[in-house]
Amino acid sequence: MREVETREAISGIHGMSQGLEEAISLLYNAFIYNRDTFIDEAEVIIKGVQETEEDLTDKLITASKSDDTARLFSPIPSHIERMAGNFEHIARSIRTKVRESILFSDKAISELSFLFQRTREILNTTSDLILARNTFIANYIKKSELEIERTADQFATLHEERLIQGLCLPKSSGLYIVMLDSIKRIAWNAKEIARKLTR
């Protein structure tokens, strides 16, 4: 019986991860097209992911008393919930950008577009890992996290130079940095999921 509950919980975790994949596509569209409606849709998904976490964690902890797989998966919902929290930061930043008509430089748009794409890939791969628990997939996620962190740090340095040169506005700068930091934290949690599921 515990095995059935564990399988159902893993399916729920997979659903959480897929929800975030959908949310990042919506947030990217909101960022590019300056549309609030995309943010509204993303926030409904993010809230759903957050509300699912506690129930799945409780089920897995209960099942883990007699099921090793449940024990392995029990920390995973909280990592996905933390990702969702960082999605909230991104959503708020984009909403401010849209509502206050804050302009980003072409360079900042290009940099964030790249990171959105890489984050979508790492989320997609994390969804695969939840079902497959494959070491090759886990290693890809770990390498991707390193690349995202390194790239985001490089972009932050370039951004500081643009700010010093007066090529971007302080208000857009703050939003840009929040998004960079949030993307780094999302990738870090994906790496932690990969580490925990293949140890």
Side-chain angles (χ1 to χ4, degrees):
M1 189 60 194
R2 288 273 184 245
E3 286 176 13
V4 173
E5 288 169 7
T6 300
R7 274 201 304 275
E8 285 173 359
I10 291 168
S11 178
I13 293 169
H14 185 252
M16 288 173 79
S17 184
Q18 285 191 310
L20 292 186
E21 284 181 62
E22 190 178 343
I24 199 158
S25 295
L26 288 163
L27 291 176
Y28 176 72
N29 287 341
F31 175 69
I32 294 298
Y33 300 114
N34 289 314
R35 295 260 307 278
D36 256 354
T37 50
F38 290 123
I39 304 168
D40 296 339
E41 286 179 58
E43 284 179 337
V44 168
I45 295 167
I46 293 162
K47 194 168 175 18
V49 167
Q50 291 171 318
E51 287 171 352
T52 308
E53 182 269 329
E54 194 174 344
D55 181 51
L56 287 177
T57 299
D58 288 348
K59 281 179 180 167
L60 287 162
I61 287 170
T62 302
S64 69
K65 294 179 178 89
S66 59
D67 184 349
D68 288 341
T69 304
R71 193 174 303 115
L72 188 72
F73 274 92
S74 60
I76 307 307
S78 67
H79 279 293
I80 298 176
E81 194 276 334
R82 279 181 223 136
M83 286 180 177
N86 284 293
F87 271 79
E88 281 185 319
H89 299 317
I90 294 170
R92 272 198 297 272
S93 296
I94 297 172
R95 197 178 287 285
T96 302
K97 174 186 181 290
V98 172
R99 287 193 173 163
E100 298 181 22
S101 300
I102 296 168
L103 297 175
F104 278 45
S105 69
D106 289 345
K107 194 75 178 139
I109 290 169
S110 167
E111 290 164 355
L112 281 168
S113 293
F114 174 79
L115 287 173
F116 268 108
Q117 179 59 36
R118 290 296 288 120
T119 306
R120 186 168 31 218
E121 285 170 18
I122 208 174
L123 287 167
N124 181 268
T125 313
T126 301
S127 293
D128 292 343
L129 179 71
I130 288 162
L131 295 181
R133 278 176 48 208
N134 176 301
T135 308
F136 177 78
I137 296 171
N139 288 338
Y140 175 80
I141 291 168
K142 291 173 193 172
K143 285 177 189 160
S144 294
E145 186 269 340
L146 274 174
E147 185 213 339
I148 287 169
E149 184 180 2
R150 195 166 45 243
T151 305
D153 287 344
Q154 285 171 355
F155 288 168
T157 303
L158 292 168
H159 176 74
E160 278 175 31
E161 290 168 8
R162 289 197 298 271
L163 191 59
I164 291 163
Q165 292 164 9
L167 299 174
C168 66
L169 303 168
K171 194 147 197 179
S172 63
S173 175
L175 299 177
Y176 177 90
I177 294 300
V178 166
M179 287 195 268
L180 278 191
D181 287 345
S182 298
I183 284 170
K184 279 167 64 176
R185 285 195 289 270
I186 290 164
W188 183 86
N189 278 287
K191 179 199 72 178
E192 286 300 293
I193 290 170
R195 199 173 61 77
K196 285 174 176 159
L197 288 183
T198 54
R199 65 183 173 201

